[in-house]
Amino acid sequence: MIPLDPPMMTVKETLTAACRRLQNSVLKIRLLARERDLSAAEKIYIDAAEHNGLYALAIAAQKAEELLPDRDGAHLRTLYSAGLVGRKDGRLKYDELKARAPFGRCLLCGNSEIGSLDHHLPKNTLPLYTICPVNLVPACGKCNQMKGDRIGATGGQRTLHPYYDRPGQTGRYLFADITSWPVQFRIQALPEWDAELHARVEYHFHTFKLEQRYAEFCISVVTANQWLHQKIRRESGVPALTAHLQEDAEQHASTHGLNAWDTALRYGLADSAWYLHQGVHESP
């Protein structure tokens, strides 16, 4: 996951933009009249997210929706697809949210190219958050599909929210073990994690199949750098290669984050006796 500060954009802005070119004037007035409800829901969402209460909010909101469906639920979902995604003024806001992702990477897997915005809380069952910017996360198509509409049967069975969850704030939790190809990725809980956060990080890791996907991502990175690694080892020895790999890992951590998959890969290479003595000469 790539952590990112929540967008400053408000649901009032997305609502106004998505409705601007709506030709049905009656529907336009009706939807714009929901701004107070949407803004109130947005405020509740942010407060819950900042205090680790988003799961409880989602469960309560889903039950309320089942008992009394929002009268404009279908219109709000259509407004997202047709107004925010499909019409010019809304699309500007949509693209602005997508463009916030560092290096154009999916915030959920941390690597693949962004394809769309993922609804952290699903639009199909929670329509009030359908066009709420803090609920819209830049994601690749694969992660968006894998996540689906699930909320989770327990608090630990839910994916991380890139805008509000900071599991790696105090250190490394993603590690790459390299004793042969392919690279093996794993989660190592930090001491301050409680049981629920540990479960969520593991759940996120397995939901998006990150162990397998990261191993696949590694192939091109390792292949692109092996010629240089071989040259350093041949001309200056293993200590020089170790120092180069360590420096490369630290530099990458400073720009891409301590728990990015390719940062973990670089630290893993520097720590791998197998790579330093043998793997550097073997294609992944």
Side-chain angles (χ1 to χ4, degrees), residues 73-112:
H75 293 311
L76 288 169
R77 286 187 285 270
T78 300
L79 186 65
Y80 172 79
S81 58
L84 198 63
V85 179
R87 284 193 287 268
K88 182 179 178 180
D89 297 278
R91 185 71 192 201
L92 290 174
K93 296 296 182 185
Y94 181 90
D95 288 341
E96 184 179 335
L97 290 170
K98 284 176 61 180
R100 298 181 68 247
F103 308 104
R105 291 185 175 194
C106 169
L107 300 190
L108 300 178
C109 69
N111 183 75
S112 299

Side-chain angles (χ1 to χ4, degrees), residues 194-213:
D194 59 22
E196 183 177 289
L197 179 57
H198 189 185
R200 289 187 63 204
V201 175
E202 293 281 3
Y203 185 78
H204 187 101
F205 193 64
H206 294 301
T207 294
F208 298 115
K209 302 185 185 303
L210 297 184
E211 182 177 7
Q212 303 95 306
R213 293 171 69 191

Side-chain angles (χ1 to χ4, degrees), residues 228-242:
L228 175 60
H229 296 171
Q230 292 166 4
K231 183 175 185 291
I232 294 172
R233 187 183 187 281
R234 183 173 61 252
E235 295 180 355
S236 304
V238 170
L241 177 57
T242 302

Side-chain angles (χ1 to χ4, degrees), residues 166-172 190-193 258:
R166 296 292 182 270
Q169 197 164 19
T170 61
R172 290 175 62 196
L190 292 169
E192 65 273 19
W193 288 4
L258 194 58

Side-chain angles (χ1 to χ4, degrees), residues 39-272:
S39 294
E42 177 182 56
K43 184 177 180 180
I44 293 170
Y45 184 109
I46 293 171
D47 183 67
E50 290 177 344
H51 296 89
N52 195 31
L54 205 52
Y55 179 70
L57 170 64
I59 295 299
Q62 190 173 51
K63 289 180 179 177
E65 180 66 19
E66 290 172 356
L67 290 173
L68 183 64
D70 189 289
R71 64 185 185 278
D72 293 317
H75 293 311
L76 288 169
R77 286 187 285 270
T78 300
L79 186 65
Y80 172 79
S81 58
L84 198 63
V85 179
R87 284 193 287 268
K88 182 179 178 180
D89 297 278
R91 185 71 192 201
L92 290 174
K93 296 296 182 185
Y94 181 90
D95 288 341
E96 184 179 335
L97 290 170
K98 284 176 61 180
R100 298 181 68 247
F103 308 104
R105 291 185 175 194
C106 169
L107 300 190
L108 300 178
C109 69
N111 183 75
S112 299
E113 183 179 353
I114 294 167
S116 60
L117 296 176
D118 171 71
H119 288 81
H120 184 76
L121 297 185
K123 65 180 184 296
N124 288 339
T125 54
L126 300 173
L128 281 180
Y129 305 117
T130 298
I131 60 169
C132 183
V134 291
N135 192 47
L136 301 175
V137 176
C140 66
K142 192 165 189 176
C143 283
N144 204 336
Q145 183 180 32
M146 286 178 169
K147 181 171 172 291
D149 290 338
R150 62 174 63 90
I151 289 178
T154 69
Q157 293 180 343
R158 55 194 175 111
T159 57
L160 298 169
H161 196 318
Y163 297 154
Y164 297 102
D165 291 314
R166 296 292 182 270
Q169 197 164 19
T170 61
R172 290 175 62 196
Y173 66 83
L174 180 63
F175 288 81
D177 297 324
I178 307 175
T179 57
S180 64
W181 304 127
V183 178
Q184 302 294 314
F185 285 87
R186 61 181 170 86
I187 300 297
Q188 182 172 305
L190 292 169
E192 65 273 19
W193 288 4
D194 59 22
E196 183 177 289
L197 179 57
H198 189 185
R200 289 187 63 204
V201 175
E202 293 281 3
Y203 185 78
H204 187 101
F205 193 64
H206 294 301
T207 294
F208 298 115
K209 302 185 185 303
L210 297 184
E211 182 177 7
Q212 303 95 306
R213 293 171 69 191
Y214 287 170
E216 293 171 2
F217 298 158
C218 285
I219 295 173
S220 60
V221 175
V222 172
T223 302
N225 287 282
Q226 270 187 320
W227 180 87
L228 175 60
H229 296 171
Q230 292 166 4
K231 183 175 185 291
I232 294 172
R233 187 183 187 281
R234 183 173 61 252
E235 295 180 355
S236 304
V238 170
L241 177 57
T242 302
H244 168 79
L245 291 171
Q246 186 67 33
E247 183 178 7
D248 187 34
E250 291 172 358
Q251 187 277 329
H252 202 270
S254 71
T255 55
H256 288 70
L258 194 58
N259 290 291
W261 72 269
D262 34 6
T263 298
L265 167 65
R266 285 166 167 82
Y267 277 119
L269 291 172
D271 294 337
S272 171

